[in-house]
Amino acid sequence: MKRLRPIVLAWSVILGIALGFGLCRKYGARAREGSSVALFGETRTKDVSQHLTRADATAVFGAVTLDLREAHIDDEATVDTVAVFGGVEVLVPKRWRLALSGKPIFGGFDDRTRGDKVLPADAPILNVHGLAVFGGVVVANEPAEGPRRSR
């Protein structure tokens, strides 16, 4: 029983931090209309903003899909992502440039965008910043294939 106590304590701390991230992002001062949060579930959000500047996506033991393919960026926009034991998928049009950065802790970031041609120098830029703790952030032009998408 003494050996089990540190393991239970560690998982309790990790779960508390994960829930804290999600709740702060949803109900905190930074929460805004462009926020997508999934706690132990799945959220799909489609943003059709004409002047997108900022969006947030947080997945804690769940999955978030943020579809920006019908949104418009004037010059530059930012998406902040947090994936804790979950996944965030950001869908973007092919006409945008992408700058993907973040801090993976036993997780990862993946750029799956495909440009058919060379983009002009004045193409809008989407900056995707994130934190992936035992989770992942994917930026793509089309939704991922697989059993989760067949619903």
PDB file of all heavy atoms in Angstrom, residues 40-56:
ATOM      1  N   PHE A  40     -12.943  15.722 -20.863  1.00  0.00           N
ATOM      2  CA  PHE A  40     -13.447  14.350 -20.898  1.00  0.00           C
ATOM      3  C   PHE A  40     -14.519  14.166 -21.969  1.00  0.00           C
ATOM      4  O   PHE A  40     -15.482  13.448 -21.769  1.00  0.00           O
ATOM      5  CB  PHE A  40     -13.999  13.936 -19.527  1.00  0.00           C
ATOM      6  CG  PHE A  40     -12.980  13.911 -18.451  1.00  0.00           C
ATOM      7  CD1 PHE A  40     -12.823  14.981 -17.595  1.00  0.00           C
ATOM      8  CD2 PHE A  40     -12.164  12.805 -18.292  1.00  0.00           C
ATOM      9  CE1 PHE A  40     -11.876  14.957 -16.591  1.00  0.00           C
ATOM     10  CE2 PHE A  40     -11.209  12.774 -17.300  1.00  0.00           C
ATOM     11  CZ  PHE A  40     -11.061  13.853 -16.434  1.00  0.00           C
ATOM     12  N   GLY A  41     -14.383  14.848 -23.082  1.00  0.00           N
ATOM     13  CA  GLY A  41     -15.365  14.731 -24.159  1.00  0.00           C
ATOM     14  C   GLY A  41     -14.799  15.253 -25.457  1.00  0.00           C
ATOM     15  O   GLY A  41     -13.592  15.358 -25.635  1.00  0.00           O
ATOM     16  N   GLU A  42     -15.700  15.598 -26.376  1.00  0.00           N
ATOM     17  CA  GLU A  42     -15.289  16.066 -27.696  1.00  0.00           C
ATOM     18  C   GLU A  42     -16.062  17.322 -28.063  1.00  0.00           C
ATOM     19  O   GLU A  42     -17.267  17.420 -27.829  1.00  0.00           O
ATOM     20  CB  GLU A  42     -15.558  14.973 -28.733  1.00  0.00           C
ATOM     21  CG  GLU A  42     -15.119  15.324 -30.117  1.00  0.00           C
ATOM     22  CD  GLU A  42     -15.338  14.181 -31.105  1.00  0.00           C
ATOM     23  OE1 GLU A  42     -15.848  13.124 -30.718  1.00  0.00           O
ATOM     24  OE2 GLU A  42     -14.985  14.365 -32.274  1.00  0.00           O
ATOM     25  N   THR A  43     -15.352  18.284 -28.636  1.00  0.00           N
ATOM     26  CA  THR A  43     -15.968  19.528 -29.080  1.00  0.00           C
ATOM     27  C   THR A  43     -15.526  19.804 -30.513  1.00  0.00           C
ATOM     28  O   THR A  43     -14.350  19.677 -30.835  1.00  0.00           O
ATOM     29  CB  THR A  43     -15.526  20.710 -28.193  1.00  0.00           C
ATOM     30  OG1 THR A  43     -15.923  20.469 -26.861  1.00  0.00           O
ATOM     31  CG2 THR A  43     -16.153  22.007 -28.660  1.00  0.00           C
ATOM     32  N   ARG A  44     -16.477  20.192 -31.349  1.00  0.00           N
ATOM     33  CA  ARG A  44     -16.182  20.611 -32.719  1.00  0.00           C
ATOM     34  C   ARG A  44     -16.720  22.022 -32.896  1.00  0.00           C
ATOM     35  O   ARG A  44     -17.899  22.262 -32.699  1.00  0.00           O
ATOM     36  CB  ARG A  44     -16.833  19.672 -33.723  1.00  0.00           C
ATOM     37  CG  ARG A  44     -16.289  18.275 -33.650  1.00  0.00           C
ATOM     38  CD  ARG A  44     -16.979  17.372 -34.625  1.00  0.00           C
ATOM     39  NE  ARG A  44     -16.570  15.998 -34.367  1.00  0.00           N
ATOM     40  CZ  ARG A  44     -17.039  14.967 -35.006  1.00  0.00           C
ATOM     41  NH1 ARG A  44     -17.943  15.128 -35.949  1.00  0.00           N
ATOM     42  NH2 ARG A  44     -16.612  13.769 -34.719  1.00  0.00           N
ATOM     43  N   THR A  45     -15.829  22.921 -33.280  1.00  0.00           N
ATOM     44  CA  THR A  45     -16.194  24.325 -33.440  1.00  0.00           C
ATOM     45  C   THR A  45     -15.815  24.786 -34.833  1.00  0.00           C
ATOM     46  O   THR A  45     -14.702  24.540 -35.293  1.00  0.00           O
ATOM     47  CB  THR A  45     -15.462  25.196 -32.400  1.00  0.00           C
ATOM     48  OG1 THR A  45     -15.753  24.717 -31.099  1.00  0.00           O
ATOM     49  CG2 THR A  45     -15.897  26.642 -32.513  1.00  0.00           C
ATOM     50  N   LYS A  46     -16.750  25.479 -35.484  1.00  0.00           N
ATOM     51  CA  LYS A  46     -16.489  26.049 -36.806  1.00  0.00           C
ATOM     52  C   LYS A  46     -16.513  27.564 -36.667  1.00  0.00           C
ATOM     53  O   LYS A  46     -17.507  28.137 -36.228  1.00  0.00           O
ATOM     54  CB  LYS A  46     -17.548  25.581 -37.796  1.00  0.00           C
ATOM     55  CG  LYS A  46     -17.284  25.976 -39.211  1.00  0.00           C
ATOM     56  CD  LYS A  46     -18.309  25.362 -40.127  1.00  0.00           C
ATOM     57  CE  LYS A  46     -17.726  25.218 -41.501  1.00  0.00           C
ATOM     58  NZ  LYS A  46     -18.589  24.434 -42.375  1.00  0.00           N
ATOM     59  N   ASP A  47     -15.419  28.206 -37.042  1.00  0.00           N
ATOM     60  CA  ASP A  47     -15.304  29.657 -36.940  1.00  0.00           C
ATOM     61  C   ASP A  47     -15.373  30.249 -38.345  1.00  0.00           C
ATOM     62  O   ASP A  47     -14.593  29.879 -39.212  1.00  0.00           O
ATOM     63  CB  ASP A  47     -13.981  30.028 -36.277  1.00  0.00           C
ATOM     64  CG  ASP A  47     -13.919  31.478 -35.864  1.00  0.00           C
ATOM     65  OD1 ASP A  47     -14.504  32.326 -36.550  1.00  0.00           O
ATOM     66  OD2 ASP A  47     -13.276  31.770 -34.842  1.00  0.00           O
ATOM     67  N   VAL A  48     -16.314  31.162 -38.563  1.00  0.00           N
ATOM     68  CA  VAL A  48     -16.479  31.809 -39.870  1.00  0.00           C
ATOM     69  C   VAL A  48     -16.242  33.321 -39.762  1.00  0.00           C
ATOM     70  O   VAL A  48     -16.814  34.094 -40.509  1.00  0.00           O
ATOM     71  CB  VAL A  48     -17.871  31.504 -40.479  1.00  0.00           C
ATOM     72  CG1 VAL A  48     -18.011  30.042 -40.809  1.00  0.00           C
ATOM     73  CG2 VAL A  48     -18.981  31.959 -39.549  1.00  0.00           C
ATOM     74  N   SER A  49     -15.364  33.717 -38.843  1.00  0.00           N
ATOM     75  CA  SER A  49     -15.066  35.132 -38.627  1.00  0.00           C
ATOM     76  C   SER A  49     -14.548  35.787 -39.896  1.00  0.00           C
ATOM     77  O   SER A  49     -13.767  35.198 -40.638  1.00  0.00           O
ATOM     78  CB  SER A  49     -14.000  35.288 -37.537  1.00  0.00           C
ATOM     79  OG  SER A  49     -14.436  34.762 -36.324  1.00  0.00           O
ATOM     80  N   GLN A  50     -14.951  37.027 -40.110  1.00  0.00           N
ATOM     81  CA  GLN A  50     -14.468  37.772 -41.252  1.00  0.00           C
ATOM     82  C   GLN A  50     -13.141  38.466 -40.956  1.00  0.00           C
ATOM     83  O   GLN A  50     -12.415  38.831 -41.873  1.00  0.00           O
ATOM     84  CB  GLN A  50     -15.509  38.804 -41.696  1.00  0.00           C
ATOM     85  CG  GLN A  50     -16.744  38.176 -42.295  1.00  0.00           C
ATOM     86  CD  GLN A  50     -16.383  37.308 -43.495  1.00  0.00           C
ATOM     87  OE1 GLN A  50     -15.708  37.736 -44.419  1.00  0.00           O
ATOM     88  NE2 GLN A  50     -16.828  36.063 -43.472  1.00  0.00           N
ATOM     89  N   HIS A  51     -12.812  38.643 -39.668  1.00  0.00           N
ATOM     90  CA  HIS A  51     -11.566  39.293 -39.251  1.00  0.00           C
ATOM     91  C   HIS A  51     -10.988  38.529 -38.064  1.00  0.00           C
ATOM     92  O   HIS A  51     -10.857  39.071 -36.972  1.00  0.00           O
ATOM     93  CB  HIS A  51     -11.804  40.758 -38.887  1.00  0.00           C
ATOM     94  CG  HIS A  51     -12.440  41.542 -39.993  1.00  0.00           C
ATOM     95  ND1 HIS A  51     -11.736  41.964 -41.096  1.00  0.00           N
ATOM     96  CD2 HIS A  51     -13.717  41.947 -40.169  1.00  0.00           C
ATOM     97  CE1 HIS A  51     -12.552  42.623 -41.911  1.00  0.00           C
ATOM     98  NE2 HIS A  51     -13.764  42.619 -41.377  1.00  0.00           N
ATOM     99  N   LEU A  52     -10.628  37.293 -38.287  1.00  0.00           N
ATOM    100  CA  LEU A  52     -10.095  36.449 -37.213  1.00  0.00           C
ATOM    101  C   LEU A  52      -8.749  36.988 -36.754  1.00  0.00           C
ATOM    102  O   LEU A  52      -7.856  37.257 -37.562  1.00  0.00           O
ATOM    103  CB  LEU A  52      -9.924  35.004 -37.711  1.00  0.00           C
ATOM    104  CG  LEU A  52      -9.358  34.008 -36.702  1.00  0.00           C
ATOM    105  CD1 LEU A  52     -10.361  33.740 -35.597  1.00  0.00           C
ATOM    106  CD2 LEU A  52      -8.966  32.719 -37.387  1.00  0.00           C
ATOM    107  N   THR A  53      -8.605  37.164 -35.434  1.00  0.00           N
ATOM    108  CA  THR A  53      -7.334  37.595 -34.867  1.00  0.00           C
ATOM    109  C   THR A  53      -6.826  36.610 -33.818  1.00  0.00           C
ATOM    110  O   THR A  53      -5.629  36.452 -33.657  1.00  0.00           O
ATOM    111  CB  THR A  53      -7.437  38.987 -34.217  1.00  0.00           C
ATOM    112  OG1 THR A  53      -8.455  38.966 -33.221  1.00  0.00           O
ATOM    113  CG2 THR A  53      -7.742  40.052 -35.255  1.00  0.00           C
ATOM    114  N   ARG A  54      -7.761  35.943 -33.088  1.00  0.00           N
ATOM    115  CA  ARG A  54      -7.343  35.073 -31.999  1.00  0.00           C
ATOM    116  C   ARG A  54      -8.397  34.012 -31.733  1.00  0.00           C
ATOM    117  O   ARG A  54      -9.577  34.262 -31.852  1.00  0.00           O
ATOM    118  CB  ARG A  54      -7.146  35.911 -30.744  1.00  0.00           C
ATOM    119  CG  ARG A  54      -6.568  35.148 -29.579  1.00  0.00           C
ATOM    120  CD  ARG A  54      -6.321  36.058 -28.420  1.00  0.00           C
ATOM    121  NE  ARG A  54      -5.022  36.294 -27.895  1.00  0.00           N
ATOM    122  CZ  ARG A  54      -3.868  35.724 -28.151  1.00  0.00           C
ATOM    123  NH1 ARG A  54      -3.788  34.816 -29.043  1.00  0.00           N
ATOM    124  NH2 ARG A  54      -2.775  36.042 -27.530  1.00  0.00           N
ATOM    125  N   ALA A  55      -7.912  32.809 -31.362  1.00  0.00           N
ATOM    126  CA  ALA A  55      -8.796  31.715 -30.949  1.00  0.00           C
ATOM    127  C   ALA A  55      -8.034  30.825 -29.972  1.00  0.00           C
ATOM    128  O   ALA A  55      -6.801  30.847 -29.937  1.00  0.00           O
ATOM    129  CB  ALA A  55      -9.252  30.898 -32.160  1.00  0.00           C
ATOM    130  N   ASP A  56      -8.783  30.086 -29.171  1.00  0.00           N
ATOM    131  CA  ASP A  56      -8.203  29.166 -28.198  1.00  0.00           C
ATOM    132  C   ASP A  56      -8.834  27.795 -28.368  1.00  0.00           C
ATOM    133  O   ASP A  56     -10.024  27.684 -28.676  1.00  0.00           O
ATOM    134  CB  ASP A  56      -8.501  29.609 -26.756  1.00  0.00           C
ATOM    135  CG  ASP A  56      -7.802  30.886 -26.381  1.00  0.00           C
ATOM    136  OD1 ASP A  56      -6.646  31.072 -26.801  1.00  0.00           O
ATOM    137  OD2 ASP A  56      -8.401  31.705 -25.658  1.00  0.00           O
TER     138      ASP A  56
END
